[in-house]
Amino acid sequence: MTEKIEIGLKHTSELTVTDAVTAIAMGSGDMPVLATPAMMALMENAAMLAIAEALPRGCTSVGGRIESSHIRPSKIGDKVFAIAEVTKVDGKKIEFKVAAYSGDTLLGEGSHLRFVVDKESFMSKLG
C-alpha cells in the first residue's frame, strides 16, 4: 500500500498571514500574530501533500501526531511556508520532519506522524 512512498519525499505549503489565521481568530491567544494551530496545520498540509500522489487509489493519509516548537511570531501580511519531508516509512505509518519559515527565519520545527487509510473504510467507522 505504501510502496511508492520513499524517504526524502517532500512538499512545501505556503500561506499569507491574515486575520483569519491569527491567534485571536483561532482562540489560541490574544495577539494579531500567526496562531500556533495555523502554523501546525500548514505543516500537516505539507506532509499530506508530500505523499498524496504516491498513495493508492481510494486511500488518503490522516494525522496521528504532531509536535513542534513555535519560536518566532509572524505578523499579518507575512508570507509563511512549511516544509515536510518523509523520514521513515513503516507500513501504513509515515513519519515526517516538519519546519515553518518566514523568509529565512525559522518559525518552528518538529515531527509529524501520518497513517495511510482507505477512505471508505475510515469514513464507515463514523457510523
Side-chain angles (χ1 to χ4, degrees), residues 14-34:
E14 302 176 4
L15 69 74
T16 299
V17 180
T18 64
D19 287 329
V21 294
T22 63
I24 295 169
M26 297 192 85
S28 64
D30 60 4
M31 293 193 286
V33 295
L34 178 66

Side-chain angles (χ1 to χ4, degrees), residues 27-78:
S28 64
D30 60 4
M31 293 193 286
V33 295
L34 178 66
T36 300
M39 180 191 75
M40 293 178 83
L42 188 65
M43 292 171 164
E44 206 171 348
N45 178 262
M48 175 194 68
L49 293 174
I51 61 172
E53 291 185 19
L55 296 176
R57 187 174 180 176
C59 289
T60 190
S61 66
V62 295
R65 182 190 74 244
I66 188 164
E67 298 173 12
S68 177
S69 60
H70 191 175
I71 56 176
R72 297 274 189 276
S74 303
K75 67 185 181 309
I76 293 174
D78 283 355

Side-chain angles (χ1 to χ4, degrees), residues 91-115:
K92 295 180 179 187
K93 289 176 25 177
I94 315 297
E95 295 182 28
F96 299 84
K97 172 176 64 173
V98 291
Y101 297 86
S102 181
D104 292 333
T105 303
L106 178 67
L107 303 178
E109 62 186 338
S111 62
H112 181 41
L113 171 67
R114 296 189 74 77
F115 294 94

